[in-house]
Amino acid sequence: MSCSDLEARLTEEYRPSVPHCGAMKGKRWFGLWKNSSELLSRDYMQCFEEQMSLVYDPDINEYRNLAGVETRVPNFGSTRAFSYKNPLKSDWCLGKLRAALEDMGYRDGDTMFGAPYDFRYAPPSPGQTSEVYSRYFKELMELVEAASERTRKKAVILGHSFGGMVALEFVRNTPPAWRREHIERLVLVAPTLPGGFLEPVRNFASGTDILYVPATTPLATRAMWRSFESAIVNFPSPAVFGRLQAPLVVTRERNYSASAQDMERFLAAVGSGEAAEPFRRRAVPKMSSFAAPMVPMTYISGVGNRTPLRLVFWGDDIDAAPEAVAYGDGDGKINLISVLAFEKEMRRQPEQKKQFKSIKINKAQHSTIVTDDFALHRVIQEIVEANNQKIPS
């Protein structure tokens, strides 16, 4: 999710909370989310959180940057545009997949391309507006067209985790005729999809380390995280998790189910009542958005792992990690019930059913499904089969 780099530029409209945060005002673009180790060494953590945060505008029902902060995603088109900010996990962010494809003869900018995105925003379902993703989808269409023309072949589009949701919504937002002309196959690897999963609820309550910053805690960056549209977009869908007929969150005061009303109450209970409106107006409509992309699609999921299914907070402090967690099946993050719901919806639509393949890999985990050899091999197999190739022995 946090693999793309972000650059920022501060205009005269920017009003920093402390003077040194405005040191770059009126100057060049600079790396805002690139080398997270520098944030502490340069005493920029407070500025980083402020300049990364988003603001919800209810008048247009969209998110935007703080006034005076402009952002962009550099190196669009290159697979080198992704990097995990923890140097101990260099294989993450598709690094090992890229290296494996290069060993097979793929070349960055020639037969292999990257489409980094601003992970703070959530891709819109058809019918929703998003200034950020309207621009991104246009650029990605042009990239696919140029790649197809260069190679004289249709494109295989792959997305992992949050990138899987971005890839799916990109395809669904393109004209059907364009899809048929330019897309050979859509490969979704452990994607975060409309059914949702439980981890975003825990992250919203107690913070998350998805954005790796050395020597900080999830609580320290929680306010910034909560400002992102992507923080609320994958809450459990009532259509999927309502079937459990059991609460998702248990507290001393009350229990919370997957219903939209209960989740709004939960947002208020954790001190973020202002998130209820964007949740209701932007996230909830996505939860029932199961229209098929109508292109050949492979859906790869990990199963056979303990995956949180219910959170229990016995104390008064929801800031702390839950005292107890009930588990079900899944990839460690995404619940199997959500995987099965997406499969069912795809097979329910006849034209998609004929061109839909689901692959479940036992013991493949969410973050390492594209780094562990036994799972990565299966992902690569889908790519090369779509391109009528063979995997080297």
Side-chain angles (χ1 to χ4, degrees), residues 194-195 232-240 258 279 283-290:
I232 57 172
V233 71
N234 286 128
F235 272 37
S237 163
V240 175
F279 173 73
V284 171
K286 299 179 195 293
M287 293 178 176
S288 56
S289 182
F290 284 97

Side-chain angles (χ1 to χ4, degrees), residues 199-327:
E199 186 177 75
V201 176
R202 178 168 61 180
N203 291 345
F204 202 93
S206 307
T208 176
D209 59 0
I210 288 177
L211 271 67
Y212 171 78
V213 180
T216 62
T217 66
L219 277 180
T221 57
R222 185 179 63 177
M224 174 187 69
W225 174 258
R226 287 180 173 182
S227 78
F228 297 171
E229 181 181 11
S230 50
I232 57 172
V233 71
N234 286 128
F235 272 37
S237 163
V240 175
F241 286 80
R243 304 169 190 167
L244 298 176
Q245 297 183 335
L248 296 181
V249 181
V250 177
T251 72
R252 178 181 295 177
E253 296 297 325
R254 63 162 297 156
N255 297 339
Y256 300 91
S257 71
S259 75
Q261 295 82 359
D262 264 12
M263 285 295 101
E264 287 187 35
R265 295 185 187 105
F266 172 79
L267 293 172
V270 299
S272 193
E274 69 279 1
E277 182 175 352
F279 173 73
R280 180 172 59 254
R281 297 179 64 187
R282 289 197 66 83
V284 171
K286 299 179 195 293
M287 293 178 176
S288 56
S289 182
F290 284 97
M294 298 305 177
V295 297
M297 175 169 55
T298 300
Y299 180 36
I300 304 177
S301 308
V303 296
N305 304 282
R306 281 172 24 117
T307 303
L309 193 58
R310 184 174 302 114
L311 309 176
V312 180
F313 298 89
W314 289 128
D316 297 324
D317 185 13
I318 300 183
D319 287 350
E323 284 88 347
V325 178
Y327 293 91

